[in-house]
Amino acid sequence: MNVFRSLLCVLSVALSQAVCAQSGPTMASGAVPAALSVSALSNMTVRGLPDAPAQLTLRDGAWQGKPYVKGGAEAPQVRLMRSPVAYGDLDRDGRPEAVMLLTQSMGGSGQFLHVAVAGAQGAQPRTLATMRVGDRVQVRDLRVQNGRIWLDVVRGGPNDAACCPGEVASLGWTLRRGRLSPVKDAPPVSRLGPATLGSHTWVLREWRPGEAAASPPPLTLSHQDGRFVGHSGCNRFMAEVTAQGGTAGDLKVATPGVTRMACEGDAAITERRYLDQLGRVRRMGFREGRLALEYEVPGDDRPAAMLFERE
């Protein structure tokens, strides 16, 4: 009987871990309440944003105010990033809060990023706190760990042009009495480059924005010992990658080398395209938690970008 109970316990733990791995961020306090689902957050009333009405209501993840000039096209806008969204108990009341990211446009080229915390009030989300992060900040990751909010970003450094942020930072906050307070032990900053990918594996989701990458098999990318390595559909590949020029994030990728497994039909076409675009990559960055590798497009002065999600 004891052996049977032990097996049940092991199976129960394995199943619970599998469910957590599939459902996103884990929380000691249980499942995400409906009031804090992404759908509910996309239609909530947000309070406390600077340079905005005292409260504004999102509709399908967006809000737009009146034009600055009557009949004009430019108007203030706020948009919810549907991903990433993080959950955890921030105020130690035994219930989860939602941490979301909002972008705010006030005309011109500025795009301000905000962290916002929401709690459940009945069946509706309620704003608990907000914090402006900065202008034209690229998001790498968002999570809650040990009651702290951690936001990994690429932001403008002291000598970076407004177009090209290059300072890699991890920003942390705690929620206390309705305010977000910066943590004092955030890790040191670094510069954007291939090593920013860390030891993670990234999976291609879009050949360019709006054009989904077919799978299986997944097309993957990692950074190891100065090389991009991964799976190109049929074969493994590797390609030397180095920082290029004086702008953080600029890259030079050598022609990829591959193993020699047979590859036919659609798989061969997919592999050729992936390796070809990798060889034309000239810059890296991040877009709403996704890795963006910008590559040259023959006959077009504007680069496109492959978009990857962390595995």
Side-chain angles (χ1 to χ4, degrees), residues 106-183:
M106 296 176 289
S109 58
Q111 190 83 269
F112 292 92
L113 179 70
H114 302 262
V115 172
V117 179
Q121 186 174 49
Q124 300 296 325
R126 177 174 66 92
T127 307
L128 300 180
T130 64
M131 173 67 70
R132 177 176 281 181
V133 179
D135 182 19
R136 284 170 277 202
V137 176
Q138 299 178 13
V139 175
R140 297 188 293 128
D141 190 28
L142 174 68
R143 61 197 180 278
V144 173
Q145 290 181 338
N146 300 322
R148 292 175 164 187
I149 300 167
W150 288 102
L151 176 64
D152 297 335
V153 301
V154 181
R155 65 187 181 185
N159 299 313
D160 290 332
C163 68
C164 309
E167 185 173 89
V168 177
S170 293
L171 311 176
W173 298 271
T174 57
L175 177 66
R176 294 290 182 270
R177 298 174 183 172
R179 292 181 179 273
L180 289 174
S181 301
V183 302

Side-chain angles (χ1 to χ4, degrees), residues 194-195 197-204 218-233 235-242 251-259 271 274-275 278-279 291 293 306 308-309 311:
L197 302 185
S199 58
H200 303 294
T201 296
W202 299 80
V203 180
L204 181 67
L219 306 177
T220 64
L221 180 85
S222 301
H223 179 254
Q224 297 177 11
D225 301 322
R227 297 181 177 90
F228 280 158
V229 299
H231 196 273
S232 53
N235 289 278
R236 300 287 301 174
F237 74 88
M238 66 177 183
E240 290 189 5
V241 56
T242 54
L251 303 177
K252 181 178 181 180
V253 181
T255 301
V258 299
T259 55
E271 181 166 85
Y274 185 42
L275 296 175
L278 275 178
L291 169 66
L293 294 183
M306 292 186 286
F308 297 76
E309 290 181 351
E311 192 175 54

Side-chain angles (χ1 to χ4, degrees), residues 244-306:
Q244 183 79 3
T247 303
D250 284 355
L251 303 177
K252 181 178 181 180
V253 181
T255 301
V258 299
T259 55
R260 296 187 177 277
M261 291 183 62
C263 194
E264 299 178 351
D266 290 343
I269 295 172
T270 296
E271 181 166 85
R272 282 196 298 270
R273 179 177 182 181
Y274 185 42
L275 296 175
D276 175 62
Q277 290 185 187
L278 275 178
R280 290 189 274 113
V281 166
R282 295 295 178 263
R283 181 165 179 79
M284 67 175 292
F286 292 86
R287 301 181 186 181
E288 301 188 9
R290 290 180 160 192
L291 169 66
L293 294 183
E294 295 186 4
Y295 59 93
E296 294 177 342
V297 179
D300 194 335
D301 293 336
R302 297 167 299 177
M306 292 186 286

